[in-house]
Amino acid sequence: MGGKLSRREIISAGMAGGILAITASNASSAALPPPPFDLGESTLDSLQEGLHDGKWTSQRLVELYLERTDAIDRTGPAIHSVLEINPDALAIAAALDEERRAGKLRGPLHGIPILIKDNIATADRMTTTAGSLALKGCTPARDAFLITRLRAAGAILLGKTNLSEWANFRSTHSSSGWSGRGGQARNPYALDRTPSGSSSGSGAAIAANLAACAVGTETDGSITSPSAANSLVGIKPTLGLISRSGIVPISHSQDTAGPMCRTVRDAAILLGVLAGRDSRDWATAGQKAQRDYTRFLNLNGLKGARIGVCRTKFFGYHPATDKLAAAALSELKSSGAVLIDPANLPNAGKYDDSELDVLLFEFKADLNKYLEELGPKAPVKSLKETIAFNERHKERSMPFFAQELMILAEKKGPLTDPKYLKALEKNHLLSRIKGIDAIMDKHRLDALVAPTQGPPWLIDLVNGDSGAGGSCTSPAAVAGYPHVTVPMGYVFGLPVGLSFFGRAWSEPVLLKLAYAFEQGTKVRKPPAFAATAQLARA
């Protein structure tokens, strides 16, 4: 492979200029306008209001979203964002309708259909496969902890979303949004563009209004990147705010679940439901969770806030993105924020090699543990068996790209290996103490800001992901600190996001800032399911 590369660099190494040949049938269907939809851009509040007023029932909501999924995801534009539908969704909705009629309301998600990424365990008639053929048919014995919280809150699990297989930790030449089970998911804003990964299906589905909101997971960029690419609000919370038990893992040092929604308020509501202590996840023991994150939302939340602009490594890679970012910074300033510009992040990029080392070591250890806990019915019982399965079935499992990252991980030793311990210590030192904490202390900052990434790139199943570079996801991901992305605008009709990130447990501050920016700009618009980017200039 030559020199050591970061996870993001290793996945995109040598991948310039992506092209996807869309079939004639897909191209023609993309030219048709999407069918009208009664629930388009509905928020959690508006859905609850309709349920309260009797405008619809939860059963009717499920029916409408399933009709929408059939029209958008399975046929029509065919964005391939949903892997499977919960066969019990209508029955669950009926039971929740009965509870509502009896005066029992579980909370703000009561009777609301949501989607779940297919690496989050559900002990029901849906499977949990991380998009892989190796785990096809796998039904875990118990729910992930966050699923237990969602059910208790009255959410209807509508289905499982497609994803980059194994959460995009399989190959150095992967195409984000592709899985053996679901094929290639596509961006509803331009069907030849990536929905980004690895929570690609969650991003595309919620942008396309296939459910009220979704839950994704992130190790480095897998919530925030697809949220930015699909004009959504995504929250990658502080490590330990949301339990990881029951989630197919990559790295216990960086993995977390989080909300993917169309508005900051919806994301704040969902975050309050997901957060909580779990005895099965040690990281949640010291959490500082809030029951209601909506109380931090403030239209004047930017007034007096000290925000540092991280320019080095995150600006200058894409002129149109920089232009949008300049307008966003002007909006922050006009809304009363005090900008410290630049407030460049110390050591950004200097832990790329050690991040990859940590992920490789932990992927082997954590995945082996997860598969072992599935019990004797698990289709594969170790990373080694998974690699062997993929090789035996490579015509279906690996038609476009291989499993280099899995092979590298299998070669790693135990978590007592000095190389692993040294890499982990380096990551935390450079990203936390000498990174985010250092620059925020120096300038007495409330948050840091940067463009999340450039516009979504062309899908390329031959070469894999390309991208324009400049993603700001790694600092918060490696540190285990919170990161919120919010729609910033569009480049040739392609979404671009703005990121707010900061210290551990600073979700209330970041949500306050993101909400004020969102309400001051209101740039999000629903996708048009165009065949390609809007390249014609006015």
Side-chain angles (χ1 to χ4, degrees):
M1 295 190 304
K4 295 178 181 177
L5 299 172
S6 70
R7 181 190 180 210
R8 184 170 297 280
E9 289 170 334
I10 201 169
I11 288 173
S12 61
M15 307 172 190
I19 298 174
L20 173 67
I22 299 179
T23 65
S25 62
N26 280 339
S28 62
S29 66
L32 297 173
F37 185 47
D38 290 344
L39 303 180
E41 299 295 287
S42 292
T43 64
L44 293 176
D45 288 339
S46 67
L47 291 173
Q48 286 293 359
E49 183 179 354
L51 289 167
H52 177 269
D53 294 343
K55 183 178 180 180
W56 45 60
T57 63
S58 291
Q59 279 187 292
R60 185 56 183 153
L61 291 183
V62 169
E63 290 170 349
L64 288 169
Y65 279 125
L66 291 182
E67 290 169 7
R68 175 75 169 179
T69 299
D70 184 64
I72 297 295
D73 204 64
R74 308 297 173 84
T75 57
I79 60 175
H80 302 298
S81 64
V82 178
L83 277 181
E84 64 180 299
I85 296 298
N86 185 354
D88 299 317
L90 279 169
I92 294 169
L96 291 166
D97 282 334
E98 283 295 323
E99 288 186 12
R100 183 180 293 273
R101 283 190 285 270
K104 178 183 177 182
L105 293 179
R106 303 188 186 194
L109 294 184
H110 188 105
I112 302 295
I114 71 170
L115 288 165
I116 303 297
K117 188 176 179 181
D118 182 45
N119 61 347
I120 302 173
T122 56
D124 51 22
R125 291 200 287 164
M126 293 188 289
T127 59
T128 304
T129 70
S132 71
L133 297 179
L135 289 180
K136 187 176 180 180
C138 183
T139 53
R142 60 177 164 182
D143 285 337
F145 183 78
L146 71 84
I147 296 296
T148 302
R149 292 187 65 81
L150 286 168
R151 293 192 200 276
I156 301 168
L157 305 187
L158 188 64
K160 294 287 189 77
T161 56
N162 199 2
L163 69 160
S164 304
E165 188 176 305
W166 294 107
N168 220 5
F169 207 73
R170 200 191 88 182
S171 174
T172 58
H173 288 68
S174 63
S175 173
S176 289
W178 186 91
S179 73
R181 281 193 66 203
Q184 179 65 57
R186 298 192 284 164
N187 194 307
Y189 286 87
L191 300 177
D192 59 353
R193 297 276 165 166
T194 182
S196 198
S198 69
S199 303
S200 44
S202 296
I206 301 310
N209 283 274
L210 304 190
C213 53
V215 179
T217 68
E218 172 161 331
T219 304
D220 186 341
S222 291
I223 289 172
T224 48
S225 178
S227 293
N230 291 279
S231 202
L232 298 180
V233 176
I235 303 176
K236 196 288 290 185
T238 305
L239 189 78
L241 187 67
I242 299 172
S243 170
R244 290 86 53 84
S245 63
I247 300 177
V248 182
I250 293 177
S251 161
H252 61 261
S253 293
Q254 295 184 204
D255 288 351
T256 182
M260 299 176 70
C261 305
R262 290 183 292 271
T263 69
V264 175
R265 180 172 171 82
D266 281 1
I269 291 170
L270 183 54
L271 183 64
V273 172
L274 297 174
R277 288 187 175 87
D278 175 16
S279 61
R280 296 180 61 215
D281 184 355
W282 57 268
T284 67
Q287 68 171 227
K288 298 178 181 178
Q290 303 287 334
R291 289 190 176 185
D292 179 11
Y293 284 92
T294 64
R295 65 192 181 93
F296 301 105
L297 306 183
N298 185 344
L299 289 173
N300 297 313
L302 286 163
K303 189 173 182 179
R306 293 179 59 83
I307 301 175
V309 182
C310 299
R311 290 195 174 271
T312 300
K313 290 189 72 70
F314 309 131
F315 283 74
Y317 59 89
H318 192 272
T321 300
D322 284 352
K323 185 176 180 180
L324 280 179
L329 294 178
S330 294
E331 172 66 25
L332 297 179
K333 192 172 182 179
S334 66
S335 297
V338 178
L339 299 186
I340 291 78
D341 186 6
N344 292 321
L345 197 60
N347 301 309
K350 292 184 180 179
Y351 38 78
D352 289 349
D353 58 342
S354 53
E355 179 188 10
L356 179 59
D357 272 342
V358 167
L359 300 190
L360 291 170
F361 273 102
E362 293 188 356
F363 182 62
K364 179 181 180 180
D366 294 354
L367 183 62
N368 283 344
K369 181 181 178 183
Y370 174 87
L371 294 174
E372 181 182 351
E373 290 177 349
L374 286 178
K377 293 184 179 181
V380 290
K381 297 175 175 59
S382 66
L383 174 58
K384 185 176 181 179
E385 287 190 16
T386 303
I387 293 170
F389 176 95
N390 289 337
E391 186 59 36
R392 288 196 308 271
H393 303 278
K394 59 185 176 182
E395 293 82 6
R396 292 187 301 137
S397 292
M398 302 188 293
F400 304 112
F401 49 87
Q403 54 182 342
E404 301 93 339
L405 292 176
M406 285 188 158
I407 292 170
L408 286 171
E410 177 59 27
K411 293 178 180 178
K412 293 298 185 183
L415 299 185
T416 54
D417 190 313
K419 184 178 181 182
Y420 161 73
L421 296 173
K422 184 177 180 180
L424 183 61
E425 181 182 17
K426 176 184 177 182
N427 285 354
H428 290 167
L429 178 66
L430 296 184
S431 66
R432 295 176 181 176
I433 300 170
K434 294 186 176 182
I436 293 173
D437 292 336
I439 194 67
M440 293 188 73
D441 285 342
K442 179 179 179 181
H443 296 293
R444 296 175 288 110
L445 300 176
D446 295 297
L448 297 163
V449 69
T452 309
Q453 61 189 28
W457 54 93
L458 287 162
I459 296 170
D460 185 354
L461 289 169
V462 176
N463 296 308
D465 289 337
S466 54
S471 170
C472 73
T473 65
S474 290
V478 175
Y481 287 1
H483 176 176
V484 177
T485 184
V486 64
M488 180 171 69
Y490 301 84
V491 173
F492 298 112
L494 303 172
V496 179
L498 182 70
S499 287
F500 296 90
F501 55 102
R503 303 178 190 274
W505 316 114
S506 64
E507 284 86 355
V509 174
L510 301 184
L511 285 168
K512 179 180 69 172
L513 302 178
Y515 180 76
F517 175 78
E518 173 199 56
Q519 294 301 304
T521 55
K522 295 186 177 180
V523 298
R524 175 177 159 79
K525 55 187 177 183
F529 305 95
T532 191
Q534 300 170 13
L535 300 179
R537 294 185 179 274

